Amino acid sequence: MMDRRRIVQQWNRGAAAALVTLVRAEGSSYRAPGAHLLIGPHGEFSGSISGGCLEAEVVRKATWMARNGAVVERYSTLFDDTAEIPFGLGCGGIVDLLIESTDSPECHAFIQAAEASLDHAVRIAATWLPHEGRALRRAVLSSTGEVLFRSESLTSTDVAKIADALATGSAVDPSIYIEHLCPPQRLFVLGAGDDAKPVVTIAALLGWNVIVADGRAQLARIDRFPGAQSAIATASVEDLGIASKDCVVLMTHSYEQDRTLLTALLRSGAPPEYIGLLGASHRSSLLVHETAAILGRTVAECCARIWSPVGLDLGGDGPEAIALAVVSEIQAWHNGKLAASRRLTAERVAEQIANRISARYLQTECASR
């Protein structure tokens, strides 16, 4: 996602000569299909299509390769001196790179779609890859299937077939490369203390849209969180427009504020799928127990939405280590790679509450003797 931001920024500076897209990969590849490299007229570039083994070669030749139109070039990163395919560097795979000039309407349409996606719009780019005299053609669709751009040589029927295939999940001709340009993950950090700073910094490095909110106006300032998209002085969830696909981390360090915020988040019609709660497990258990009672729901229903203790168990100490654990868990969850977590369960909450009640009973008994 950060590559996409940098590519759009470079484009807007007017430093663009060729766009390279990784459209196919066989075997091991450092980058997956959908990786991009924007090359400027003087060799400057943004993005990447490998771990660094291909960039120098591609940057040097891309503009020349695309001088007569877009082309697809195959590169091998297998270590094989006898191979006819360049390059053979030992990374273990073969990649196909689409190389196109930035002067074409098709390239302009793609960059516009990429820029729109950074502003929370979903775009789908369908590219008919150049092959044996057939020029590159492209269509850009919205998330609802509306055609926002199509090459002059494409008919409405051509695009309608793609839209239907995408809507029904049908297979698409392999010579047509489909790229879903999804918006960045949006992260709401509720609590603007100093320990929120590394959370914002790390999330911003991944290209996420980060919003910081706190009722204390002296803390909720963008100059304290330069990586954030915005810093909002509010203690109300309703002011933030949080959606179900957003992620939220509660780190106000105030039990009452966390309970108020958590109640409001879970009460909404479409609560966020990830709500991370900073704090010790016994504190979080009591918080969830009370929130469930306020909402008239079971503890299990509330636990299904809450991630606490927040963050992967990576070890370490201090704000930076905690921030890394928090952002890592969200990243793993977002990509469907979360194998294990330390989330609360109804059984765990019941255990913590029982322990708390037992502790209070013992204190009362001791005090009465």
Side-chain angles (χ1 to χ4, degrees), residues 17-25 33-39 49 54 58 61-63 65-66 69-75 95-102 104 106-107 110 125-131 134-138 175-179:
L19 177 67
V20 182
T21 305
L22 197 165
V23 295
R24 274 192 294 265
H36 297 280
L37 183 71
L38 182 67
I39 303 168
I49 37 86
L54 294 178
V58 174
K61 293 184 176 180
T63 304
M65 288 178 174
V71 295
V72 175
E73 291 288 324
R74 175 162 289 192
Y75 287 83
V95 296
D96 287 346
L97 303 179
L98 169 64
I99 304 172
E100 58 185 299
S101 169
T102 56
S104 69
E106 286 77 12
C107 190
F110 178 82
T127 303
W128 282 252
L129 298 173
H131 178 66
R134 185 185 71 183
L136 177 147
R137 297 175 293 169
R138 179 172 286 141
S175 67
I176 303 172
Y177 176 66
I178 305 294
E179 184 171 355

Side-chain angles (χ1 to χ4, degrees), residues 164-220:
D164 290 343
L166 292 172
T168 60
S170 304
V172 177
D173 187 322
S175 67
I176 303 172
Y177 176 66
I178 305 294
E179 184 171 355
H180 294 263
L181 297 166
C182 298
Q185 176 63 59
R186 204 159 62 142
L187 171 63
F188 288 84
V189 179
L190 306 187
D194 287 345
D195 60 338
K197 292 179 179 179
V199 174
V200 174
T201 298
I202 297 173
L205 284 173
L206 293 173
W208 298 356
N209 289 336
V210 187
I211 300 92
V212 180
D214 197 304
R216 299 165 291 183
Q218 74 274 18
L219 296 182

Side-chain angles (χ1 to χ4, degrees), residues 18-19 47 51 57 108 115 140 147 158 178 191 218 221 224-225 228 231 274 282 310 316 321 332 345 352:
L19 177 67
E57 172 75 4
H108 280 253
E115 187 166 20
V140 176
V147 180
D158 292 329
I178 305 294
Q218 74 274 18
R221 304 194 321 266
R224 297 187 72 243
F225 300 94
Y274 183 100
H282 66 274
V310 67
T345 63
Q352 292 285 346

Side-chain angles (χ1 to χ4, degrees), residues 32 67 105 108 173 183 197 202 209 221 223 239 297 300 314 328 353 364:
R67 69 194 184 284
H108 280 253
D173 187 322
K197 292 179 179 179
I202 297 173
N209 289 336
R221 304 194 321 266
D223 61 297
D239 294 339
R297 299 179 188 172
L314 302 179
S328 295
I353 295 299
T364 304

